Amino acid sequence: MSAGAAAKPPILAVSPDSIRAAADAIRQGDLVAFPTETVYGLGADAGNDRAVAAVFAAKDRPRFNPLIVHVADREAAAALVRFDDRARALADAFWPGPLTLVLPRRPRGGVSLLAGAGLDTLAVRAPDHDVAQALLRACGRPIAAPSANRSGAVSPTTAAHVADDLGGRVAMILDGGPCRIGVESTVVDLTEAMPVLLRPGGIPGERLAALVGPLQAAPTGGPARSPGLLHRHYAPFRPVHPNARQSEFGDAFLGFGPGWPNATLNLSPAGNLEEAAANLFAMLRALDRDPFRAIRVAPIPDHGLGRAINDRLTRAAAAPSPEPDEDTWNDDRGPAAPCALPDDT
Ligand code: TXA
Ligand code: MG
């Protein structure tokens, strides 16, 4: 089934009327794609099981992969999850912003169990984007929203990306222009004695550690803690070769920094990691086409936002692997076939 072939949904310029229409649609149980500072989200009323199920269906997403619940601020989040001192410190420092906190779910918080994939934790985040904030306030409901791409594809950073990926599977797309940060939020699990960095993202782990002490790396092997950690993710269709030191005839080359005058595209000619993160997904999409056979990517420094970029590139590069912990999250597909599409987040 190709969502891209379906009728294109309306792409609405941001205005008080379009925000109201989007809020009404969400309250009615429809899906609305909206911009955040990281990537576009595919939003549904987090309390509406049918709407949340429609999100999984629209993405072709494995059912047990939990969604991030978006809220306007810490107060709204506190109705859904239990904050401890560390969570309060992080939310005070980084919200609204690209940080997702995994916290104990309040059983009577009203969030669909499906949104949290039945876990007793819930991932919450307050996005730092005027349109996302206006939508949250207008609809007065927490909004469950994964990235607005088909499962396994690169996250969308423009309204056009969403329309290409999801076609008629979404009622409308609010167009807030390109996303400022361009990689997804950092996900940190605060339900353990030592916080766990489940996904590097828009806030570098170093900045979190400065407030809450050292972070554990996400465990590998064993049952998946965060299904977003499945090895192959964020993948274009063409093979991706990170850390490439030279171009190869027939392949696209994605440069970083001034040393690549002949690159097909350059994430940041000046070598700025923030600019590179903002360009990453759009450029991977742009290079994922004929006549290129593969996409080579120049080395990216592994600090600050470079960690999140390298994390996404490594996942894009990994061959699909039918690991036991993938099956754990693969409830609606059965065991992964060797060439099955990767699950994404
Ligand atoms: O920047 C972002 O975070 C974007 C925008 C739209 O907010 N959203 C996003 O959502 O990237 P998604 O669903 O594509 O990724 C959510 C990640 C996944 O890795 C998921 O497994 C993890 O968060 N996650 C969600 N709930 C969790 C939970 N209760 N425990 C552990 N991991 C969780
Ligand atoms: Mg995602």
Side-chain angles (χ1 to χ4, degrees), residues 183 197 199-207 215 273 277 280 300-315:
V183 289
L197 182 63
R199 180 176 74 182
I203 305 268
E206 299 92 309
R207 295 187 60 198
L215 307 179
L273 287 168
L280 179 69
I300 311 288
D302 203 36
H303 58 79
L305 281 184
R307 288 239 180 110
I309 296 172
N310 283 324
D311 174 77
R312 305 303 186 269
L313 289 172
T314 310
R315 289 174 200 286

Side-chain angles (χ1 to χ4, degrees), residues 34-42 59 61 64-70 98-103 115-117 119-125 127 145-149 155 183-187 189 198-199 202 224-230 233-234 312 329 344-345:
F34 64 97
T36 79
E37 77 280 30
T38 57
V39 300
Y40 275 70
L42 176 61
K59 283 180 67 86
R61 182 179 194 161
F64 278 5
N65 198 346
L67 307 179
I68 295 173
V69 176
H70 295 69
L99 175 65
T100 293
L101 303 175
V102 174
L103 293 168
L119 300 173
D120 54 9
T121 58
L122 199 64
V124 288
R125 133 170 156 83
S147 48
N149 52 284
S155 291
V183 289
E184 300 88 340
S185 60
T186 302
V187 181
D189 179 352
L198 291 176
R199 180 176 74 182
R225 289 287 303 278
S226 185
L229 297 169
L230 298 177
H233 270 255
Y234 310 103
R312 305 303 186 269
W329 300 98
D344 101 311
T345 60

Side-chain angles (χ1 to χ4, degrees), residues 67 69 71 74-88 90 95 100-113 116 118-125 187-196 198 225:
L67 307 179
V69 176
V71 290
R74 197 181 98 194
E75 198 190 342
L80 314 179
V81 290
R82 285 201 305 277
F83 277 71
D84 62 7
D85 289 345
R86 298 175 308 183
R88 269 187 288 275
L90 290 177
W95 278 7
T100 293
L101 303 175
V102 174
L103 293 168
R105 162 202 284 268
R106 287 191 190 280
R108 276 177 286 282
V111 171
S112 148
L113 275 180
L119 300 173
D120 54 9
T121 58
L122 199 64
V124 288
R125 133 170 156 83
V187 181
V188 60
D189 179 352
L190 293 171
T191 62
E192 301 276 330
M194 187 187 282
V196 187
L198 291 176
R225 289 287 303 278

Side-chain angles (χ1 to χ4, degrees), residues 284-302:
L284 285 176
R285 277 173 189 263
L287 297 178
D288 193 15
R289 60 169 171 85
D290 289 338
F292 303 123
R293 287 177 321 203
I295 304 171
R296 293 180 178 274
V297 189
I300 311 288
D302 203 36

Side-chain angles (χ1 to χ4, degrees), residues 117-179:
L119 300 173
D120 54 9
T121 58
L122 199 64
V124 288
R125 133 170 156 83
D128 184 16
H129 194 291
D130 290 350
V131 177
Q133 283 286 337
L135 178 63
L136 282 161
R137 290 178 197 278
C139 99
R141 311 272 315 141
I143 297 179
S147 48
N149 52 284
R150 298 287 291 284
S151 199
V154 170
S155 291
T157 55
T158 65
H161 294 161
V162 179
D164 286 348
D165 270 14
L166 295 177
R169 294 178 176 205
V170 53
M172 64 184 81
I173 302 172
L174 281 175
D175 187 355
C179 298

